[in-house]
Structures are given as structure tokens and as C-alpha cells.
Amino acid sequence: MPLSLRATSTPSGGSPRWTMGIMVSSDCTRVSAALVSARGHGLDLQAEVYDGLIVQVPRETTSLWRHCTDIKAVSARTVSRLPHPVGSHDESLAQESASTGDAGEILATIGGLRAQLAEVEAAAALALLNEASVPPDQILAMGVCDPGLWEFGAAPRGGYLGLCDAARLAESTGMNVIDAFPARDLAAGGQGGPTGALADWVLFGHPERNRVLLDLGRTARITFLGAGAAERGPSRLLSFEAGPGTALIDLLAQRLTNGEQGFDPGGRLAVQGQRLAPLMEHWLADPYFRRSIPRWHPRGVPPDRFLFDALQMAVRSGWSIRDLLCTATHFVAESIARATARDLPSDAPIHELVICGGGQQNGMLLRELGLLFPNVPLLRTAELGVDQEAIGPARAAILAFFHIDQVPAGLPEVTGCDVARVLGRLTPGSPQSWQRLLSALHGARPVLRPLRSAV
């Protein structure tokens, strides 16, 4: 059964444009959807998140996703099961045969995953429209974001395959679909993300106050939302990873409780330990923190090497898991503070810190952030009108608006691309929906002023 989200605001007056956003969670266990209405066009967009819901992805679909992300392991196991080849030529043929067999299995798995996800996405979209009493032909387009399948090293910046079966989704819902936002950024020399930074400015930016959107997810990500006059759009915009986030804390909490707890509720386990200065110094000296921005990876910052180092040092020094957990919480907060000091504009003081992600439930982590950012108010996104679970699909919906209005959302300062590009791939829905979108596209004017003057 879908879990309804609170309607964050209700459009009133006039005739706003509508899009829908669909977001597949990073572990492919949930699909969230949100309706977004907007007035204005391009960088003058004023958006409201109207309503949303969440549906669980069936287990068999999630299993397909896990299988797809383990392609190399599957290939290795297949080769190891073959009879030992006699010579190098035989070995080459055996590996080619195994590779060919694996390719067929992989293609079938990916095709099945995309088809099943399209069914879940379509069901979520239609359920949301029914719940909100909004007719499908009112929606200009549906923006879809998903974790995708990434291959690094296949191209200068890697390869990307989105999980959205746009044709099947458009056929099922009748709506126009815009997806594959990272693909164009990769083609333009970028990292493929973060693609939602400009959408975050629309949702949370302020014309007079510099805000930092701090995503306390498995990886801690900082998005600087510089103050700017409404008619100009954001004056400055940056988005990058600060370091490991709640994933490191969660792994230590699981170890401390023998797997009984998947995370540290409220930080209550961490406060029972003490901060280990040698471990903090070791972690903060990691080469990762010397990398310059743009700094982003689709899989985030892996916590494993930080955990491995910590456990080795703990054995030698006799530290407890509680001490490691306490230090990890301090470490996440400290790495965020250092990243803001190093990478954000020195002439733009932070006026407000806007918190999202699962880490906002960790009281000890929030306390440490409060100490490291004195006199800076900490706000949750819900206080600004967007529930936590609606952020992802709302970003996708706004990216759809940007595609329609021909606003480049792939920005060199954010993704490292060579030139700003409009992101997304458009798949037509029903003839009626397509004609309505064509009219909207005909009336849209591309952004003529250089984005450098706006970002």
C-alpha cells in the first residue's frame, strides 16, 4: 500500500504548469512520486511541491537490481566453473564463450528489471494522480531519476545506463517522460552528477540569504545555495561530497549491536563513547579530503576503508566500538565543517544550514554541527515546505521543467562538464499529451543570457 506524504503546499490562483517527479531509491527498494506546480519559466521558476506518495518495490525486482550491480562477480564465477583450458587459445575461447553467455543473461536481467520498475513507477504515478484528483492530461511531463547502472573506465568519465524504460512508462500512463539526466552531462565531459543542484536552488534558495543544503545521507553532501535576486536566479551554486556520512556510523552501530540495530537511533550509542583524537587525525588525513571540487560519485563515498582502518587501530590500541562510534559521529561533522571552510566562497557567509537525509534524526550529530557552525540556524526541509521523502521526486519534477524550458541544469561548476547543457531525454506519451507539451515547448524561450552570469 502506498504511504501518503503530507501535501506541502496547495497551488492557488492562476493556471500553474504541472509536472510529476519519480524517484527510485539508491537501493531500488522504494519508488517515491510527487506532483509539482510552477509559475514562471526558466530560472524564474517558482515551484510548489503539492502532494506525493511512496510505494515499495517488490522483492523480486530489488533482487534483479542487486544481480545487475554484481555483473563482474557473476562473470568471474562463470569463468571459474569452466573446465581448465589446455592452452592460451583455448583459454581465450573459453572466456569468450563465458562472456557471451553472461552477456545474454545480463541483458535479460536488465531488461526484466527495467520492465518491472516501469510497472511500479506507472502504478505510483497513476495512484498519485487519483489521490490528488489531477487528470493525467494536466501533467506536462514526468521526470524520472534512478540510481542507474554505471561502468567506470569504459569511457573518459565512465558509462551510464538508466533504469527507466521510458517507452513502457509513457505507454502505461499516457504521460510524456523525461529521464536519463546524467547521460548528457557525461557526454559533455562531466561526472554525471549531482544533477539536482539547480533544482535544489528552486526548492530551497533564498534571494537574500546564503543557505547550505546539507544532505546527511549515507554520504554527506553539501550544496551551496548562494543568495541572488529572483530575476537573476542563483548568484552562486556549488554541490559536492564532503565525506562519508551515516553509512560509516551505521556500520559501527551494527557491529556494536551484533546486527540488532541498523543505525544509531538519535546518537544514543555514540554518546556512551569518547572521542579518539588519534583516529580523528588519521581519518582527516585521508587523501580523499585533498581532492578538489567538483567532487561526486554515483555510489557516494565508500565507508569501508575508514571502517577497516579504525578496526585495525582499535585492536592495537584497545579501543571500544562505542569509542569508534563516538569518533565517527564527530568525524562526519568535522569533515563537513572543513569542507565548507575550504570549498565554499570566502566572501559568502552561511546564513542558514538546511538539513535533510537520515542523519537529521541523529541528535548527537546535529549537536556537533551546531557547535561547529555557531550562530547559524539549523533548519529542516519540512520547515521550508518540502517533506524529506518528497525531495527526490520534487527534484526530478523540476528537472523536467528545466528540460521543457531549455534551461541547462548540467553546470561546469557543479559537475565538471565542459559546457552547460540541458539534461534529459524526452519520450512522447499519448498524442494529446504530446501535443500539449509541443505547445508548451513552442512558447518556451531558451535562456539566452550566459549561465555564468547566473550561477
Side-chain angles (χ1 to χ4, degrees):
M1 292 295 291
L3 169 66
S4 295
L5 300 175
R6 178 177 60 85
T8 53
S9 57
T10 304
S12 59
S15 298
R17 299 184 299 161
W18 291 83
T19 60
M20 176 182 289
I22 297 288
M23 178 75 181
V24 181
S25 64
S26 60
D27 58 0
C28 205
T29 59
R30 297 187 305 165
V31 168
S32 52
L35 285 171
V36 174
S37 68
R39 294 177 176 82
H41 292 75
L43 294 176
D44 299 322
L45 198 71
Q46 296 180 350
E48 294 178 301
V49 184
Y50 175 56
D51 208 352
L53 59 77
I54 302 168
V55 297
Q56 298 297 317
V57 175
R59 289 183 180 179
E60 56 270 24
T61 306
T62 301
S63 296
L64 287 176
W65 155 251
R66 290 171 182 160
H67 184 64
C68 288
T69 56
D70 198 26
I71 289 174
K72 291 183 179 179
V74 170
S75 298
R77 287 196 298 270
T78 303
V79 172
S80 68
R81 287 196 299 265
L82 293 172
H84 185 68
V86 176
S88 60
H89 178 66
D90 293 333
E91 181 178 359
S92 175
L93 289 176
Q95 290 180 345
E96 181 180 351
S97 174
S99 177
T100 302
D102 285 346
E105 178 186 355
I106 290 165
L107 287 173
T109 304
I110 293 174
L113 170 63
R114 297 175 81 236
Q116 291 182 29
L117 267 181
E119 292 179 5
V120 179
E121 291 162 348
L126 295 175
L128 178 57
L129 290 176
N130 182 64
E131 182 179 289
S133 300
V134 175
D137 60 7
Q138 190 74 15
I139 308 299
L140 284 177
M142 177 195 306
V144 181
C145 289
D146 58 60
L149 298 171
W150 297 75
E151 176 62 32
F152 305 98
R157 291 290 183 114
Y160 165 82
L161 175 65
L163 300 182
C164 178
D165 188 336
R168 193 181 299 268
L169 185 56
E171 191 68 27
S172 300
T173 63
M175 288 185 275
N176 306 302
V177 176
I178 303 174
D179 73 310
F181 297 105
R184 188 62 185 273
D185 185 75
L186 283 168
Q191 325 174 104
T195 57
L198 193 59
D200 285 337
W201 193 89
V202 170
L203 289 170
F204 305 114
H206 193 278
E208 298 175 354
R209 293 196 288 272
N210 298 319
R211 285 174 170 167
V212 166
L213 177 64
L214 179 54
D215 186 350
L216 298 176
R218 294 181 58 80
T219 292
R221 188 169 71 210
I222 292 170
T223 302
F224 176 69
L225 307 171
E231 65 273 9
R232 288 176 56 239
S235 59
R236 293 180 186 175
L237 182 67
L238 294 170
S239 188
F240 54 92
E241 292 174 343
T246 59
L248 179 60
I249 298 173
D250 293 347
L251 287 174
L252 286 167
Q254 292 164 22
R255 202 169 260 269
L256 176 62
T257 63
N258 293 318
E260 292 182 7
Q261 292 184 185
F263 60 96
D264 183 6
R268 292 192 294 272
L269 298 174
V271 296
Q272 301 172 23
Q274 61 179 345
R275 184 179 182 272
L276 301 167
L279 181 57
M280 279 286 290
E281 293 175 7
H282 175 77
W283 274 341
L284 291 169
D286 191 281
Y288 174 83
F289 298 106
R290 295 195 291 272
R291 291 175 54 190
S292 60
I293 57 174
R295 188 170 61 242
W296 178 86
H297 192 280
R299 296 175 187 160
V301 180
D304 306 73
R305 70 181 185 189
F306 295 97
L307 178 65
F308 181 73
D309 287 354
L311 294 176
Q312 283 191 319
M313 294 175 70
V315 170
R316 292 195 301 265
S317 304
W319 297 332
S320 72
I321 294 293
R322 283 183 171 82
D323 293 339
L324 297 182
L325 186 56
C326 177
T327 306
T329 306
H330 282 276
F331 169 57
V332 171
E334 180 66 29
S335 61
I336 290 168
R338 293 194 180 197
T340 57
R342 182 182 65 244
D343 297 319
L344 296 189
S346 58
D347 60 343
I350 300 172
H351 297 128
E352 293 173 340
L353 201 60
V354 182
I355 308 292
C356 66
Q360 65 182 306
Q361 307 301 327
N362 188 314
M364 179 178 173
L365 179 56
L366 293 187
R367 185 193 69 189
E368 291 304 314
L369 288 170
L371 294 174
L372 292 168
F373 293 90
N375 304 317
V376 178
L378 269 63
L379 308 174
R380 286 180 168 83
T381 57
E383 298 175 57
L384 302 179
V386 184
D387 284 342
Q388 164 68 30
E389 297 292 350
I391 296 174
R395 284 189 186 118
I398 293 173
L399 284 172
F401 274 123
F402 287 155
H403 184 96
I404 294 168
D405 294 345
Q406 293 294 282
V407 174
L411 308 174
E413 296 86 350
V414 175
T415 70
C417 58
D418 299 327
V419 63
R421 284 287 181 247
V422 175
L423 303 181
R425 170 185 59 187
L426 174 59
T427 300
S430 68
Q432 296 82 0
S433 294
W434 178 237
Q435 288 301 319
R436 189 166 184 269
L437 181 58
L438 283 178
S439 298
L441 288 168
H442 180 72
R445 295 183 178 181
V447 178
L448 298 179
R449 61 178 180 272
L451 218 5
R452 188 177 301 278
S453 68
V455 177

